Amino acid sequence: LGAVATTIERWEDAARWLEQARTLAASSRDPSLAMLIEHNMGNLAVAQHRFDDALAAYSRAADAATETS
Protein backbone atom coordinates (compact mmCIF):
# COMPACT_ATOMS: atom_id res chain seq x y z
CA LEU A 1 0.00 0.00 0.00
CA GLY A 2 2.88 2.37 0.68
CA ALA A 3 4.20 1.97 -2.86
CA VAL A 4 0.75 2.55 -4.34
CA ALA A 5 0.19 5.62 -2.17
CA THR A 6 3.56 6.97 -3.35
CA THR A 7 2.57 6.43 -6.99
CA ILE A 8 -0.64 8.42 -6.58
CA GLU A 9 1.15 11.13 -4.56
CA ARG A 10 -0.56 10.47 -1.23
CA TRP A 11 2.64 11.17 0.68
CA GLU A 12 1.26 11.01 4.23
CA ASP A 13 -0.55 7.74 3.58
CA ALA A 14 2.55 6.29 1.95
CA ALA A 15 4.75 7.27 4.89
CA ARG A 16 2.28 5.80 7.39
CA TRP A 17 1.98 2.48 5.54
CA LEU A 18 5.71 2.18 4.99
CA GLU A 19 6.49 2.97 8.64
CA GLN A 20 4.03 0.26 9.69
CA ALA A 21 5.65 -2.17 7.27
CA ARG A 22 9.10 -1.24 8.58
CA THR A 23 7.99 -1.97 12.15
CA LEU A 24 6.56 -5.36 11.17
CA ALA A 25 9.62 -6.23 9.10
CA ALA A 26 11.93 -5.50 12.01
CA SER A 27 10.18 -8.13 14.10
CA SER A 28 10.35 -10.71 11.28
CA ARG A 29 14.09 -10.18 10.69
CA ASP A 30 13.65 -10.97 6.98
CA PRO A 31 16.36 -9.04 5.10
CA SER A 32 14.57 -9.29 1.74
CA LEU A 33 11.47 -7.71 3.26
CA ALA A 34 13.57 -4.96 4.83
CA MET A 35 15.24 -4.35 1.46
CA LEU A 36 11.89 -3.96 -0.29
CA ILE A 37 10.51 -1.58 2.34
CA GLU A 38 13.63 0.60 2.43
CA HIS A 39 13.66 0.76 -1.36
CA ASN A 40 10.07 2.01 -1.28
CA MET A 41 10.98 4.51 1.44
CA GLY A 42 13.69 5.78 -0.93
CA ASN A 43 11.18 6.08 -3.75
CA LEU A 44 8.87 8.10 -1.50
CA ALA A 45 11.71 10.41 -0.51
CA VAL A 46 12.70 10.94 -4.17
CA ALA A 47 9.11 11.75 -5.08
CA GLN A 48 9.13 14.40 -2.34
CA HIS A 49 12.54 15.77 -3.45
CA ARG A 50 14.14 14.70 -0.14
CA PHE A 51 17.25 13.35 -1.79
CA ASP A 52 19.40 12.95 1.34
CA ASP A 53 16.65 10.84 2.92
CA ALA A 54 16.34 8.85 -0.30
CA LEU A 55 20.06 8.12 -0.35
CA ALA A 56 19.91 6.93 3.26
CA ALA A 57 16.93 4.67 2.53
CA TYR A 58 18.58 3.20 -0.57
CA SER A 59 21.72 2.62 1.47
CA ARG A 60 19.70 0.70 4.08
CA ALA A 61 18.13 -1.31 1.24
CA ALA A 62 21.57 -2.17 -0.12
CA ASP A 63 22.75 -3.21 3.35
CA ALA A 64 19.73 -5.48 3.70
CA ALA A 65 20.41 -6.93 0.25
CA THR A 66 23.91 -7.99 1.32
CA GLU A 67 22.35 -9.85 4.26
CA THR A 68 20.33 -12.01 1.85
CA SER A 69 23.43 -13.26 0.01
Side-chain angles (χ1 to χ4, degrees), residues 30-61:
D30 179 355
S32 59
L33 184 56
M35 179 184 62
L36 179 64
I37 293 165
E38 292 303 332
H39 179 78
N40 281 301
M41 292 292 279
N43 291 346
L44 173 60
V46 166
Q48 295 177 302
H49 302 273
R50 296 183 297 111
F51 301 114
D52 290 339
D53 293 338
L55 181 59
Y58 290 138
S59 179
R60 290 189 299 271

Side-chain angles (χ1 to χ4, degrees), residues 9-27:
E9 299 181 2
R10 295 185 60 174
W11 313 133
E12 289 145 12
D13 291 336
R16 185 180 74 248
W17 284 108
L18 290 170
E19 285 297 337
Q20 285 181 316
R22 183 188 272 165
T23 300
L24 292 171
S27 66

